[in-house]
Amino acid sequence: MTNLPPPAEELRFLDAELRQLDVRRATLLRRRAWLVHTLQATAARQPALGPGTAPVGPPAGTGATARRPEATAPGVQNVLLVLGGVLLTIAAIAFTLVSWGHLGIAGRALVLGALTVGALGAPVALLRRGLRSTAEAVAALGTALTVLDAYALHEVAFPGTDGAGYTATASAVLAALWAVYGVRLRLRHPLPLAVATAHLPLLLGAIAVGAGPYTLTAVSLATAAGGTAVALRAALLPVRIVAVTGALGTGAAGVLSAGWLGWSASGPGPAARAAALLLVAAALALVAGRFVPRPEISVGAAFAAGLCVVAGAGGVLRVTVPGEWTVPGCLACAIALLAAERTRLHHPLRQGLVRASAAVQGFAVLWTLPLVAGCVLGPAVRGAGAWSGTPRDFRDAVFAGLPRPPYAGTAPLVLAVVAAVLVVAGHRTARRPAVTVAAPVLGWAAALVLPVVLQLPYAAGLVAHAVVVAAALFFAVRFGRADKRPSPPSLTALLLALVTSVGLALVSLASEPATIAVLGTLTVLFAAAGLRPGPAPFAAPAALCHATALACAIGASAGRPPHHTALLVLVVPAVAALIASRTGGSRTGGSRTGGSRTGGSRATVPVEVAGAAAGLLALALAAPEPPMLALVLSLCGAVAAATALHPERRAAGWAAAALFLLATWVRLAAWDVAAPEAYTLPVTGPALIVGLLRRRRDAAVSSWTAYGSGLAVTLVPSLLAAWDDQHWLRPLALGVAALAVTLAGARHRLQAPLVLGPGVLALVALHELTPYLAQVVGALPRWAPPAVAGLVLLVLGATYEQRLRDARRLREALGRLG
């Protein structure tokens, strides 16, 4: 629906539009007269053409074309006129300043008077001839000469007069003279120049009489009021531009001066005077905004007016109430501005006042930010001194080692009031989703800082923050969506609950009983919230994290070493695996497997990640004790194997196998077992079984894929160990094993056993024959080795082609194997 303005406002708007049309019509008529005059002058200079004749042009065939002029005739005319006026003005200034002393008093007066009268009177004759641009240029020279006349008059007739007072009087006289001159002759430049000069007399006069800061501020606002009146009533655009610029400049100076006077006042009286000046500025802005035709300007004027009102009230409150109540007082004034919504003010004015109120409320919230940040970040310092003793009160527990913000006693009130305003105004604003998120955040901040501000006892502060966590979780569950996806308010509440729970857990580290009680409470709260579909992806992992911290705290409280506490921490991964197994089935079947009770499939991955993190913590705690580490690895492998039973988590079986293998190795190392076969055979056996099952299922799998890694895991480390072993048992066992692998490969025509088995067997045989070969080499004469080497090379060279053919046949034969 269109918002129709009242009849009076619509009539004012139509009058303004009609004035604009009159100005535009006058401009077009002047342009038309100039064009007619130009065409008549051109026709008079061009000879008359007879009927049937063509205008004279360039001869045919010469290729000459008429060039288009790069500058228009009016442009050239204006450049010449402006340049001439500037040069004459410079000459007049030079004459006045340099050659003034060569003439007597009468001569000086006659020269300047004649020049001024001539320059101001010449435009009358020029306008009668239609030479408006020339008249403007000469009139500009005349106005410049009037300034020189004023200067000359001061130097000759009033040399002892105060400069500021004389300048104020001269500027007032010149402004009036230029205004009358411009109106009578209907020239364009005198009126804007008069308006600009009219901003000086009051300020210069106040300076001349030695006025104080309050008087100067009032004079600035009065000058701004005059400029505003001229801007609203003037019909010419240049006049409006100059008036608006002057009004904004003097008004801004007055407002800043009044604000500085109010917030630096030493008593109620000066503060009240400054507040009165700010109220005058606010009234001036509202009046200007009421009659400005553009709505966006009206909104800006009302916004400035609202800020002036609050600033004035704040200056008075600063010297009349305690320091911590200044911001709440300003907030109350800002809220009072919201009453403009129910008045009959112009709609843009109401909108601007509401925006000013919102801005002040935002500044009030920023004022509380140091206290809120300290309450959130301060508990992190307490972690360095766990169980160091119960603090005196909750504020000491939160701000341990941090500076405390001053004047913070009313911060909860400010936050609560702004939150309440958002809740009340939320149903009337178009930005309701943002309001539904901002209001809970502000309410949470108020509840978070309240125990600190009230300096509650340590236990009472812990209970208060636990209540905040419970309330945030209740809000998240209560306002969650039915489609199992958290709404923005619900998600915000979940994040606030998580942040508060972390801070609460850190603050509780000051006392041993408090730590266990708080962590147990947080675990229960988040576990209860995790039973609902919406909060489950956030609440369930948080419950597991708090449970992990609780297990560590219980172990430390019982005086158990860390590797014993690791067994208690392993309960968390087991519970996480159980929860994930019940939620994973809802991926395809909704809540058929009970997933709806713990949040559905969206909570599966976060729960598994939290469980894995707890498992890693248990491993880190058990790492100093190898026997306990082996046990923890085995239990983690059991949890991973149980997870692998789920169809969608088959890959966890690899992790389970790796954990079991690591547990075996750690146990062997704890028993001081140095034989590599003890570490490799537990890998080779399962690997060969898996490879055999895979080849039975898929005959296309190569023997290298099925058996290569399993055989190499044992054969290669055993071969390296046998090469340095001086006993006969290891080489014999390794040789027998390599022979068995070779025979099995030959039986089933498998490439991997036929390559690995013979290779290891040959190296073992070489290792066993090495002493005898060394003895033989030592018994031979020195020429025998070179002779044998030469003979070998000769035989190889003679049979090179045959050997290549045999090698090719061997490669083809191996390729035909499995």
Side-chain angles (χ1 to χ4, degrees):
M1 296 295 294
T2 303
N3 187 13
L4 296 177
E9 182 181 355
E10 185 176 2
L11 180 60
R12 183 185 59 81
F13 181 76
L14 292 177
D15 291 340
E17 291 295 330
L18 290 174
R19 286 195 297 270
Q20 294 288 343
L21 291 176
D22 291 339
V23 173
R24 180 61 178 167
R25 185 175 182 274
T27 303
L28 294 176
L29 288 176
R30 289 195 299 269
R31 180 64 178 173
R32 181 182 182 279
W34 182 85
L35 291 175
V36 170
H37 174 73
T38 302
L39 292 176
Q40 290 175 354
T42 303
R45 290 194 300 267
Q46 188 175 6
L49 300 178
T53 60
V56 179
T62 59
T65 56
R67 292 186 178 180
R68 185 177 182 180
E70 296 181 356
T72 62
V76 175
Q77 167 192 298
N78 292 333
V79 169
L80 295 177
L81 292 175
V82 171
L83 181 59
V86 170
L87 292 177
L88 288 175
T89 304
I90 294 174
I93 295 173
F95 170 77
T96 304
L97 298 179
V98 178
S99 301
W100 185 257
H102 298 289
L103 299 176
I105 297 177
R108 301 170 194 172
L110 288 175
V111 171
L112 279 179
L115 290 176
T116 304
V117 172
L120 294 177
V124 178
L126 294 174
L127 289 174
R128 291 175 180 175
R129 293 178 172 271
L131 302 178
R132 178 166 292 276
S133 298
T134 306
E136 290 281 356
V138 176
L141 175 62
T143 54
L145 289 175
T146 55
V147 178
L148 295 176
D149 289 336
Y151 169 74
L153 184 62
H154 177 269
E155 293 295 327
V156 175
F158 307 102
T161 307
D162 179 63
Y166 180 80
T167 305
T169 304
S171 59
V173 172
L174 290 177
L177 176 64
W178 292 339
V180 174
Y181 184 70
V183 172
R184 292 297 300 272
L185 297 184
R186 296 183 180 179
L187 297 175
R188 288 192 295 269
H189 82 278
L191 285 179
L193 188 60
V195 172
T197 309
H199 288 80
L200 301 177
L202 288 179
L203 290 174
L204 293 176
I207 295 174
V209 299
Y214 290 93
T215 304
L216 289 176
T217 303
V219 168
S220 297
L221 294 177
T223 304
T228 303
V230 173
L232 293 175
R233 300 297 299 175
L236 296 177
L237 180 60
V239 175
R240 289 203 306 272
I241 293 176
V242 173
V244 167
T245 304
L248 289 177
T250 55
V255 168
L256 293 178
S257 176
W260 179 80
L261 291 173
W263 285 87
S264 61
S266 58
R273 290 197 296 270
L277 293 175
L278 287 173
L279 290 178
V280 170
L284 176 61
L286 288 176
V287 171
R290 174 63 181 84
F291 294 101
V292 170
R294 298 181 62 178
E296 58 272 17
I297 299 179
S298 299
V299 171
F303 178 80
L307 294 182
C308 289
V309 171
V310 176
V316 175
L317 291 172
R318 190 188 66 85
V319 295
T320 56
V321 298
E324 60 185 7
W325 287 97
T326 302
V327 174
C330 295
L331 179 61
C333 295
I335 296 174
L337 292 178
L338 295 176
E341 277 287 338
R342 300 183 180 276
T343 62
R344 295 184 177 181
L345 283 176
H346 193 40
H347 177 70
L349 297 181
R350 297 198 305 268
Q351 188 176 2
L353 292 175
V354 170
R355 291 184 180 181
S357 175
V360 175
Q361 294 179 53
F363 286 128
V365 172
L366 290 179
W367 174 73
T368 65
L369 190 59
L371 179 61
V372 177
C375 292
V376 174
L377 302 178
V381 182
R382 173 63 62 181
W387 296 355
S388 57
T390 303
R392 292 183 304 172
D393 52 43
F394 195 68
R395 187 181 67 175
D396 292 338
V398 173
F399 281 91
L402 292 178
R404 300 169 184 175
Y407 303 120
T410 55
L413 176 62
V414 170
L415 293 169
V417 169
V418 176
V421 171
L422 288 177
V423 171
V424 173
H427 66 279
R428 296 199 306 265
T429 179
R431 300 177 180 178
R432 187 173 182 180
V435 171
T436 56
V437 171
V441 172
L442 294 176
W444 164 81
L448 185 70
V449 302
L450 184 60
V452 176
V453 171
L454 297 179
Q455 299 184 23
L456 295 179
Y458 178 66
L462 294 178
V463 173
H465 275 202
V467 172
V468 173
V469 176
L473 291 176
F474 174 78
F475 185 88
V477 173
R478 177 65 178 81
F479 294 95
R481 292 176 178 172
D483 59 355
K484 301 181 182 180
R485 293 186 179 275
S487 60
S490 176
L491 182 60
T492 302
L494 282 173
L495 296 178
L496 295 178
L498 291 174
V499 172
T500 310
S501 67
V502 173
L504 178 59
L506 292 175
V507 172
S508 67
L509 291 178
S511 172
E512 178 180 346
T515 302
I516 297 176
V518 167
L519 291 177
T521 302
L522 293 177
T523 302
V524 173
L525 290 176
F526 281 96
L531 297 176
R532 300 298 298 269
F538 300 90
L544 294 176
C545 292
H546 289 303
T548 303
L550 177 62
C552 295
I554 292 175
S557 177
R560 309 306 301 173
H563 58 274
H564 287 172
T565 304
L567 295 176
L568 186 60
V569 173
L570 281 179
V571 176
V572 177
V575 174
L578 178 62
I579 296 175
S581 65
R582 302 194 66 185
T583 60
S586 61
R587 294 179 184 273
T588 58
S591 60
R592 290 177 296 178
T593 59
S596 60
R597 290 180 294 174
T598 53
S601 61
R602 292 185 301 109
T604 302
V605 174
V607 166
E608 291 174 345
V609 171
L616 292 176
L617 178 61
L619 293 177
L621 293 174
E625 293 292 330
M628 186 61 67
L629 178 60
L631 177 59
V632 172
L633 286 170
S634 300
L635 295 176
C636 290
V639 174
T643 303
L645 296 177
H646 198 278
E648 298 178 356
R649 291 292 183 265
R650 297 302 187 195
W654 296 101
L659 290 171
F660 284 130
L661 180 61
L662 288 174
T664 304
W665 287 355
V666 172
R667 172 53 64 183
L668 292 175
W671 287 338
D672 296 329
V673 176
E677 291 79 9
Y679 298 91
T680 57
L681 286 177
V683 180
T684 297
L688 293 179
I689 293 174
V690 172
L692 178 61
L693 296 176
R694 188 173 181 184
R695 277 186 61 84
R696 286 184 178 179
R697 185 178 301 174
D698 186 5
V701 177
S702 66
S703 60
W704 286 105
T705 303
Y707 308 116
S709 59
L711 294 174
V713 166
T714 295
L715 293 178
V716 174
S718 298
L719 178 62
L720 296 177
W723 198 262
D724 294 332
D725 195 351
Q726 302 300 325
H727 200 267
W728 59 272
L729 181 59
R730 187 189 300 277
L732 178 60
L734 182 58
V736 172
L739 179 60
V741 169
T742 302
L743 295 177
R747 171 67 178 80
H748 298 283
R749 304 181 65 184
L750 299 176
Q751 188 182 58
L754 281 178
V755 174
L756 295 175
V760 173
L761 183 59
L763 292 176
V764 170
L766 178 62
H767 172 265
E768 294 301 316
L769 295 177
T770 298
Y772 302 100
L773 293 177
Q775 294 177 4
V776 172
V777 172
L780 292 175
R782 294 182 179 276
W783 54 265
V788 173
L791 182 61
V792 171
L793 292 175
L794 182 62
V795 173
L796 289 176
T799 58
Y800 183 74
E801 183 178 0
Q802 180 64 33
R803 300 304 181 187
L804 289 178
R805 186 180 297 111
D806 293 342
R808 190 180 303 110
R809 290 176 179 177
L810 178 60
R811 185 174 66 249
E812 294 175 355
L814 290 175
R816 289 193 297 270
L817 298 177

